[in-house]
């Protein structure tokens, strides 16, 4: 075989292989998901630059990146009056500073979760950029934790402010430094100057970097704080300092909420309880009631088809307001048109033996006709017409006087046409069945409370979901007893009731008053049927 022939054969084989490869069908594999976050390759000017005089800086990464929720994620300390323009193009992030920078000041840009790769959304991580307009970078830190004053749960994504002035009005001005709590309620200030500071935490709902005492949460301490040096490798001790947040109660009466809640029904809520309210309308006929806590007026328009209302609400607590309200239809909202649908019983297939039979109505009841024969009950050993007590506060609840016997089955008939609501509609006949439980179905918890000062405390029993199931007041070394508990897990907390008003009181920033202290029993209590539990809660003053 000649060399020429050999070369021709090799070329022929290569062509055949190439054609075969092209003819082969199939799909390319995607490979493993990219879970690697982008990395910083360059920053200009360099991080920790002193005598900074640039109009911004550029961050370069090793892959294409995008920005996420920049206005909320990027924290700049000290805060700037004008937020910088932050953009991303390809593998670069550009920050253009619009503000005039303060002299001899260290600035910290915390990007938090603002930078992610383009393909998989992997977050860059807690990247920070630091520079100083002076000759040195301030190097001190301060850290701690923010919790809710009542629940003691961590307060997440809350602003924390430092002020280098200590008067109360500092909260109404922009802070000297700013940071934000993480998902564990932890906060950390870095690169701050060596001074003493006033510290405040707030949710800053209007993003003004100032405290709005009407609705915003706040935490503060009477003492000033002193920053300290913490090396980059040292682990912060977040538990060494704690702030407790609350919403300050308003001392000024005002209407906080008003409007139609359904067709023909209006609610008006106030900041503090009303004393003796009056309601004056235009030509509309209304029926109104004040709720048990005296902070909400419920009004029913007797003309159910009317969709607007002009009224004047007055009260000696400080209200004299004229309101013009308009009904906006929402699906599923409207006054009941009568019949059995506008009445229901508070009991289901079973009723606790310690409870009372009751009927509730969608609308207030104006009158009851033939009351002596309105409700009839029957048991295995007894039957009779029942009497009942009308709830004068709500006008939409009736307490039925039926003897409650453990383990007994009840057939109850509510005869139609007896209960007339304010619109003149009446109930339909309803037949109800229920069985009363026995005491053996429940457990109980007794809490022996021991305090070192002998003051008044509110002991609360909480469900596993944190809802208050029951509460009792104890003085000094007393006992709180919670009977008739369904099987389940409970927690116990105590409130140091300093003003002896029987409830937890939040603090007041302007009066320098902290919220009343709350503590939780150190373990959950699992209640079982027909079991009684007793625990000792010790409260030692700090």
């Amino acid at each position: 075989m000649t060399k020429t022939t050999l070369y021709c054969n090799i070329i022929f084989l290569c062509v055949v292989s190439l054609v075969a490869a092209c003819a082969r069908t199939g799909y390319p594999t995607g490979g493993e998901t990219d879970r690697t976050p982008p990395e910083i390759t360059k920053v200009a000017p360099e991080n920790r630059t002193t005598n900074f005089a640039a109009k911004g800086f550029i961050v370069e990464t090793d892959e294409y990146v995008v920005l996420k929720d920049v206005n909320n994620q990027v924290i700049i300390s000290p805060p700037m009056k004008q937020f910088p323009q932050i953009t991303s193009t390809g593998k670069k992030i550009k920050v253009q500073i619009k503000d005039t920078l303060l002299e001899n000041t260290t600035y910290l840009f915390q990007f938090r979760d603002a930078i992610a790769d383009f393909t998989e959304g992997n977050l860059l991580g807690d990247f920070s950029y630091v520079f100083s307009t002076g000759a040195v970078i301030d190097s001190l830190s301060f850290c701690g934790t923010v919790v809710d004053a009542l629940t003691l749960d961590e307060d997440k994504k809350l602003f924390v402010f430092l002020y280098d002035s200590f008067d109360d009005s500092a909260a109404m001005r922009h802070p000297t430094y700013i940071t934000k709590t993480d998902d564990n309620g932890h906060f950390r200030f870095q690169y701050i100057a060596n001074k003493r500071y006033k510290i405040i935490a707030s949710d800053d709902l209007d993003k003004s970097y100032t405290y709005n005492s009407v609705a915003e949460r706040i935490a503060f301490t009477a003492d000033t704080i002193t920053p300290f040096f913490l090396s980059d490798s040292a682990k912060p001790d977040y538990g060494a300092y704690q702030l407790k947040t609350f919403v300050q109660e308003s001392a000024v009466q005002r209407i906080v909420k008003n409007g139609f809640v359904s067709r023909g029904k209006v609610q008006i809520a106030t900041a503090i309880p009303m004393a003796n309210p009056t309601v004056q309308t235009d030509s509309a006929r209304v029926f109104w009631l004040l709720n048990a806590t005296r902070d909400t007026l419920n009004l029913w328009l007797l003309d159910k088809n009317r969709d607007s209302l002009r009224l004047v609400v007055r009260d000696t607590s400080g209200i004299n307001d004229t309101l013009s309200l308009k009904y906006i239809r929402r699906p599923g909202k409207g006054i009941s048109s009568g019949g059995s649908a506008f009445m229901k019983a508070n009991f289901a297939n079973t009723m606790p033996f310690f409870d009372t039979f009751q009927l509730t109505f969608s609308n207030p009841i104006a009158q009851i006709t033939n009351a002596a024969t309105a409700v009839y009950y029957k048991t295995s050993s007894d039957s009779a017409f029942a009497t009942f007590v009308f709830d004068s506060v709500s006008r939409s609840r009736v307490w039925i006087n039926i003897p409650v016997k453990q383990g007994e089955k009840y057939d109850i008939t509510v005869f139609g046409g007896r209960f007339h609501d304010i619109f003149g509609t009446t109930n339909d006949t309803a037949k109800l069945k229920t069985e009363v439980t026995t005491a053996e179905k429940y457990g109980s918890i007794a809490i022996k409370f021991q305090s070192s000062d002998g003051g008044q405390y509110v002991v609360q029993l909480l469900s596993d979901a944190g809802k208050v199931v029951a509460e009792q007041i104890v003085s000094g070394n007393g006992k709180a007893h919670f009977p008739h508990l369904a099987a389940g897990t409970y927690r116990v907390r105590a409130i140091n009731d300093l003003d002896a008003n029987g409830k937890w009181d939040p603090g007041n920033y302007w009066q320098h008053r902290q919220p009343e202290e709350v503590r939780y029993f150190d373990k959950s209590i699992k209640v079982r049927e027909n079991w009684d539990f007793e625990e000792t809660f010790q409260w030692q003053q700090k």
Side-chain angles (χ1 to χ4, degrees):
M1 183 181 296
T2 64
K3 289 185 177 179
T4 301
T5 304
L6 178 61
Y7 291 153
C8 289
N9 289 339
I10 293 173
I11 293 172
F12 175 76
L13 291 173
C14 290
V15 172
V16 171
S17 299
L18 180 61
V19 171
C22 292
R24 192 176 297 125
T25 60
Y27 298 92
T29 59
E32 295 184 1
T33 302
D34 176 18
R35 302 186 185 279
T36 305
E39 294 183 1
I40 304 296
T41 58
K42 182 180 178 181
V43 180
E46 292 183 356
N47 214 338
R48 302 178 67 88
T49 293
T50 56
N51 297 312
F52 186 94
K55 296 298 183 180
F57 57 92
I58 294 175
V59 180
E60 297 184 15
T61 61
D62 63 346
E63 56 182 308
Y64 292 101
V65 292
V66 292
L67 296 171
K68 294 187 173 183
D69 195 19
V70 168
N71 289 338
N72 289 317
Q73 290 295 336
V74 178
I75 305 297
I76 304 169
S77 182
M80 295 181 173
K81 293 180 180 179
Q82 296 186 69
F83 195 80
Q85 181 178 344
I86 306 176
T87 57
S88 65
T89 305
K91 300 180 180 181
K92 290 185 179 181
I93 298 165
K94 186 177 182 180
V95 178
Q96 294 177 281
I97 297 174
K98 300 179 179 181
D99 246 355
T100 300
L101 299 176
L102 301 173
E103 296 181 355
N104 299 314
T105 301
T106 300
Y107 283 86
L108 170 64
F109 283 68
Q110 294 176 283
F111 285 83
R112 298 164 72 89
D113 292 338
I115 304 173
D117 66 31
F118 179 79
T119 54
E120 300 293 341
N122 297 309
L123 296 174
L124 172 65
D126 196 10
F127 168 65
S128 297
Y129 180 76
V130 183
F131 65 81
S132 174
T133 57
V136 297
I137 299 284
D138 292 323
S139 59
L140 297 186
S141 298
F142 190 79
C143 59
T145 302
V146 183
V147 300
D148 182 280
L150 179 60
T151 67
L152 302 187
D153 292 334
E154 299 86 358
D155 249 327
K156 307 173 182 178
K157 296 179 175 58
L158 208 71
F159 287 97
V160 187
F161 304 133
L162 290 183
Y163 305 85
D164 58 9
S165 59
F166 310 137
D167 57 293
D168 293 342
S169 62
M172 306 301 294
R173 303 190 295 269
H174 272 209
T176 308
Y177 296 105
I178 180 175
T179 190
K180 212 170 184 181
T181 59
D182 61 18
D183 288 341
N184 296 310
H186 298 159
F187 69 88
R188 182 181 180 184
F189 289 97
Q190 294 175 279
Y191 306 105
I192 58 179
N194 187 17
K195 297 181 180 179
R196 294 188 65 80
Y197 297 97
K198 179 187 183 77
I199 186 168
I200 289 177
S202 171
D203 50 11
D204 193 28
L205 295 177
D206 58 4
K207 297 182 180 179
S208 64
Y209 295 157
T210 59
Y211 171 52
N212 177 357
S213 61
V214 173
E216 292 180 343
R217 299 173 62 75
I218 189 171
F220 69 97
T221 59
D223 300 328
T224 57
I225 64 100
T226 303
F228 50 83
F229 177 75
L230 187 67
S231 67
D232 293 338
S233 61
K235 186 176 181 180
D237 182 9
Y238 294 109
Y241 190 86
Q242 189 179 81
L243 290 165
K244 296 180 179 180
T245 61
F246 59 90
V247 177
Q248 186 168 295
E249 287 184 341
S250 175
V252 179
Q253 179 65 302
R254 70 189 191 285
I255 292 177
V256 295
K257 181 180 179 182
N258 66 85
F260 281 85
V261 293
S262 62
R263 189 174 188 86
K265 185 177 181 180
V266 169
Q267 277 190 345
I268 301 171
T270 56
I272 58 178
M274 289 172 268
N276 187 27
T278 61
V279 176
Q280 179 183 350
T281 69
D282 41 17
S283 59
R285 295 182 304 120
V286 299
F287 179 90
W288 61 270
L289 289 170
L290 186 61
N291 71 340
T293 55
R294 307 188 68 83
D295 59 2
T296 301
L297 281 171
N298 291 289
L299 298 93
W300 290 264
L301 280 69
L302 299 184
D303 179 1
K304 293 188 291 185
N305 295 318
R306 185 172 179 133
D307 60 3
S308 63
L309 179 66
R310 181 178 173 85
L311 70 161
V312 179
V313 181
R314 296 186 178 93
D315 188 67
T316 54
S317 62
I319 296 175
N320 187 5
D321 289 9
T322 300
L323 305 174
S324 295
L325 308 176
K326 181 76 174 177
Y327 171 68
I328 300 175
R329 186 179 181 279
R330 289 178 292 173
K333 293 290 184 179
I335 285 182
S336 171
S337 59
S340 58
F342 92 149
M343 180 192 73
K344 63 180 181 179
N346 77 316
F347 44 88
N349 293 332
T350 59
M351 175 182 149
F353 75 93
F354 49 86
D355 210 340
T356 303
F357 292 100
Q358 65 175 274
L359 301 174
T360 57
F361 301 85
S362 302
N363 308 320
I365 299 300
Q367 65 174 350
I368 305 172
T369 56
N370 297 319
T373 57
V375 179
Y376 183 80
Y377 74 92
K378 181 180 179 180
T379 69
S380 61
S381 60
D382 191 17
S383 62
F385 283 100
T387 60
F388 43 82
V389 177
F390 197 71
D391 189 331
S392 59
V393 175
S394 71
R395 297 285 296 183
S396 59
R397 182 183 294 118
V398 168
W399 304 91
I400 309 174
N401 293 324
I402 297 177
V404 179
K405 298 179 181 179
Q406 295 187 36
E408 185 66 86
K409 295 180 179 180
Y410 288 77
D411 291 328
I412 299 173
T413 301
V414 181
F415 291 99
R418 308 303 172 91
F419 297 93
H420 303 253
D421 70 9
I422 57 176
F423 303 107
T425 53
T426 62
N427 67 298
D428 291 338
T429 297
K431 293 184 179 296
L432 311 169
K433 292 179 180 291
T434 190
E435 182 176 355
V436 174
T437 61
T438 60
E440 289 76 17
K441 297 292 292 183
Y442 304 92
S444 71
I445 297 175
I447 301 297
K448 294 175 61 179
F449 192 83
Q450 298 177 354
S451 65
S452 57
D453 68 342
Q456 177 168 301
Y457 295 82
V458 180
V459 179
Q460 295 181 324
L461 188 68
L462 309 179
S463 68
D464 204 29
K467 182 180 179 180
V468 177
V469 175
E471 62 182 16
Q472 291 184 18
I473 295 174
V474 298
S475 297
N477 299 318
K479 178 182 284 190
H481 184 240
F482 302 107
H484 312 323
L485 299 176
T489 303
Y490 298 86
R491 296 195 66 194
V492 178
R493 76 178 173 204
I495 299 166
N496 190 356
D497 190 16
L498 296 174
D499 58 359
N501 66 351
K503 66 182 185 69
W504 178 76
D505 291 302
N508 188 295
Y509 172 76
W510 305 109
Q511 297 176 7
H512 305 162
R513 189 181 74 243
Q514 292 292 329
E516 289 179 333
E517 187 178 2
V518 173
R519 296 185 194 176
Y520 284 76
F521 189 55
D522 58 6
K523 63 180 179 181
S524 298
I525 303 174
K526 190 171 183 179
V527 172
R528 293 181 296 217
E529 293 182 4
N530 203 28
W531 279 72
D532 299 321
F533 298 85
E534 183 171 290
E535 299 283 355
T536 299
F537 193 136
Q538 293 185 332
W539 183 303
Q540 299 296 326
Q541 295 299 327
K542 297 179 180 178

